[in-house]
Amino acid sequence: MAVLKKRITASTLMETLVATVLIVIIFMVSSMVLNNLLKGKGHDRREALRERIHVLEYQYKNGALVLPYWEDFGPWQITIAPASGAASGWAVLIAAHIETGKTLTENLTHVD
């Protein structure tokens, strides 16, 4: 009879549902954060493009480029053209991504 008198405590249905909902919410938020981190890591690799733009800017400033200039750099198309309506020595560099359509524009000045 002593065995039957022991009371086993258990959680109520409401406590179980609240705990389950909290676990699901934490899982969803963590999966969205992880997804954004991994997605952003692969798509925003512009270090090589920025380095190439700095090289082209250096060449332009020192008179090593003949304008208009055009080149393919991986999935990017880079064009440098004299700025319209500007004094001599100004040029516009436009880098356009072939697949996504994103563009990067910079103004270049020539050093005499």
Side-chain angles (χ1 to χ4, degrees):
M1 276 295 210
V3 174
L4 294 177
K5 290 185 180 181
K6 286 186 180 178
R7 185 166 187 182
I8 300 173
T9 58
S11 59
T12 64
L13 180 61
M14 187 58 76
E15 291 172 339
T16 306
L17 288 175
V18 168
T20 304
V21 167
L22 287 174
I23 290 172
V24 168
I25 289 173
I26 290 171
F27 175 74
M28 287 174 49
V29 168
S30 63
S31 66
M32 286 189 287
V33 167
L34 187 63
N35 187 25
N36 283 340
L37 286 174
L38 294 177
K39 186 178 180 183
K41 194 120 174 130
H43 289 290
D44 197 26
R45 296 195 176 206
R46 294 186 187 174
E47 295 88 18
L49 174 67
R50 295 228 183 255
E51 183 178 333
R52 182 63 185 151
I53 287 174
H54 286 301
V55 168
L56 291 173
E57 184 176 5
Y58 177 81
Q59 290 175 347
Y60 175 72
K61 285 182 178 181
N62 292 300
L65 284 180
V66 177
L67 297 184
Y69 178 81
W70 181 86
E71 91 174 46
D72 282 331
F73 183 72
W76 294 90
Q77 289 180 342
I78 301 173
T79 36
I80 303 174
S84 60
S88 64
W90 283 89
V92 177
L93 181 142
I94 300 172
H97 196 277
I98 298 168
E99 298 165 359
T100 62
K102 291 184 179 180
T103 59
L104 179 71
T105 306
E106 288 191 18
N107 294 322
L108 306 176
T109 58
H110 189 276
V111 178
D112 290 326

